Amino acid sequence: MGLRQAVAGAVGGVLADQWKDFYTVPTGLPSTAALFAAVPRGTNAGRGSNTSASSNIITNGSKIVVPEGYGLLLFQDGAITGFVAEPGGYEWRSDDTNSQSIFVGDGFVSPLIKQSWERFKFGGQPGSQQAAFFVSLKELPDNRFGTQSEIYWDDGFLNTQVGAVTRGSYTLKIVDPILFVKNFVPASYLQPGQVFDFTDLDNAAASQLFNEVVGSLAPAFSLYTNDPGKGNRITKLQQDSLGFAQSLSAAVEQGYQWKSDRGLAIVKTAIVSIEYDANTRELLKTVQRADALAGSRGNSNLQASVAQGIQSAGENGGAAGLVGVGMASGMLGVGGMQQPVAPAAEDPVAKLKKAKEMLDLGLITQDDYDKLKAKALGL
């Protein structure tokens, strides 16, 4: 009885293959879904659906519709046998005995006997497996990162080590689907009904990516702030999503070979917040003050400050206050501020010589000369 039932079941499965199927993406997928099995949808020109077809077998002559933004991977017994990146409709043709349909021009008796015999040997089940999987070629959003404590890096602009707690998100793209599936996706996701989602908290492979991104943040910040082409400004990070994405992608590639080994790349980033530690915040304040007081603006600010100081000293401390302010402003020497210089005292001998020449020329009288002489000599 067991043998007859197995044979009868096998023949029933073969007869069900008369219906050609249409395969496409499942409905209701999240935008972050990266890999999932194609599902049969549609029917034999509206006459019915092939609900009794063999599991893990694609009927010869079936249509597979590849939507925009997806690629199609074909498998035979776990090995990748084909890849399609262009959207459109494709017809499945296979020389595999299991895929032959007896009512679609592939013959009648011979395929029926071969399939019955092969399935009988495998307990009524097909002796091989065929599968079609869709892989997303879009940017996959909402991949988040964040640090629980400060990370530290050497900052080229501040010329010292800085630290911060940061969080944000990035978009991810599968740039090589074959590498991605062969080297990274766990086998448990290469089954019908499974969806590989990078944002799934239960996806251990996706969690590994999160940990690697967090481990790459410090090198990424260092790459960004030490790149002269990026302006060496830590404050530009939150405004330059593409620039920082390049630094983060380079750091991830250097540390974990995402692109070369797994076919993955970070495309864009969005930094939600950067909370600097106390030392970095104080240093940034100092740098901001220095920036504000640099160049002609700094000289103008300093002159205004000194003028205000002179006015206050004159009102409160008289001449002594003015002397103190003068000494202080002279000691600062910031911004090239010019200080007034007192004229040098005239030589008394030179004064007397000049007065004698004026007397000889008759320009002054003897009495005038005597007065000038007494004044020059302090008499």
Side-chain angles (χ1 to χ4, degrees):
M1 293 295 291
L3 179 61
R4 178 177 294 273
Q5 184 177 8
V7 172
V11 172
V14 172
L15 293 175
D17 285 344
Q18 64 181 296
W19 303 101
K20 293 182 180 179
D21 294 320
F22 286 86
Y23 288 82
T24 187
V25 299
T27 58
L29 285 171
S31 60
T32 51
L35 181 75
F36 41 85
V39 295
R41 183 189 308 164
T43 58
N44 181 23
R47 295 190 294 271
S49 63
N50 187 11
T51 57
S52 300
S54 301
S55 176
N56 297 323
I57 289 294
I58 302 175
T59 302
N60 196 42
S62 293
K63 300 295 189 298
I64 302 179
V65 178
V66 181
E68 195 79 44
Y70 293 96
L72 176 69
L73 284 166
L74 302 175
F75 291 79
Q76 175 85 28
D77 295 329
I80 298 175
T81 58
F83 174 67
V84 175
E86 292 294 321
Y90 297 85
E91 183 178 358
W92 171 264
R93 305 298 301 177
S94 175
D95 295 331
D96 190 280
T97 301
N98 291 283
S99 289
Q100 302 303 309
S101 296
I102 63 177
F103 294 130
V104 291
D106 297 322
F108 180 79
V109 177
S110 177
L112 177 62
I113 295 173
K114 288 181 179 179
Q115 289 184 49
S116 297
W117 173 246
E118 291 297 323
R119 297 186 187 190
F120 172 75
K121 292 194 301 183
F122 287 92
Q125 298 298 319
S128 65
Q129 288 188 337
Q130 299 164 341
F133 280 82
F134 286 105
V135 59
S136 177
L137 302 180
K138 306 176 183 179
E139 285 186 36
L140 300 170
D142 205 30
N143 300 281
R144 302 185 181 185
F145 63 83
T147 58
Q148 298 295 326
S149 57
E150 290 87 355
I151 56 173
Y152 293 90
W153 68 93
D154 293 327
D155 189 275
F157 176 68
L158 298 178
N159 198 31
T160 187
Q161 188 181 74
V162 299
V165 175
T166 183
R167 61 187 180 90
S169 64
Y170 61 92
T171 63
L172 192 62
K173 192 167 186 179
I174 301 170
V175 295
D176 190 329
I178 295 176
L179 271 182
F180 172 65
V181 171
K182 292 186 68 172
N183 293 349
F184 188 68
V185 176
S188 59
Y189 286 95
L190 299 176
Q191 301 292 333
Q194 296 294 316
V195 176
F196 187 97
D197 189 333
F198 288 108
T199 64
D200 185 1
L201 297 178
D202 296 326
N203 186 337
S207 298
Q208 176 66 27
L209 295 182
F210 170 84
N211 293 332
E212 291 175 1
V213 168
V214 171
S216 302
L217 284 175
F221 282 129
S222 182
L223 282 172
Y224 187 91
T225 56
N226 288 282
D227 183 357
K230 304 273 192 317
N232 297 125
R233 290 282 185 157
I234 189 176
T235 51
K236 289 183 61 178
L237 280 171
Q238 290 173 279
Q239 307 166 12
D240 188 10
S241 61
L242 290 177
F244 182 66
Q246 293 171 356
S247 298
L248 182 57
S249 184
V252 167
E253 180 65 20
Q254 183 177 357
Y256 303 100
Q257 293 77 52
W258 275 25
K259 192 171 184 179
S260 56
D261 287 355
R262 300 169 178 173
L264 297 172
I266 292 173
V267 182
K268 297 184 182 72
T269 59
I271 298 180
V272 178
S273 68
I274 300 178
E275 301 173 7
Y276 302 109
D277 64 9
N279 290 338
T280 304
R281 288 197 299 270
E282 190 62 34
L283 183 59
L284 282 171
K285 288 180 182 178
T286 303
V287 171
Q288 288 170 349
R289 292 192 194 102
D291 285 349
L293 295 176
S296 59
R297 178 186 295 179
N299 192 42
S300 299
N301 289 339
L302 182 58
Q303 291 187 35
S305 298
V306 171
Q308 181 63 37
I310 292 174
Q311 181 179 352
S312 300
E315 293 173 353
N316 300 325
L322 291 173
V323 171
V325 170
M327 291 177 61
S329 60
M331 287 164 44
L332 286 174
V334 179
M337 183 176 174
Q338 299 297 323
Q339 301 294 331
V341 179
E346 192 174 354
D347 185 6
V349 175
K351 288 180 68 175
L352 286 176
K353 184 177 179 181
K354 185 182 295 185
K356 183 65 170 67
E357 291 176 354
M358 294 173 68
L359 176 63
D360 293 341
L361 293 172
L363 298 176
I364 59 174
T365 64
Q366 183 64 43
D367 185 54
D368 293 330
Y369 173 76
D370 292 338
K371 289 180 180 179
L372 290 172
K373 180 179 177 181
K375 183 176 180 181
L377 298 176
L379 300 176

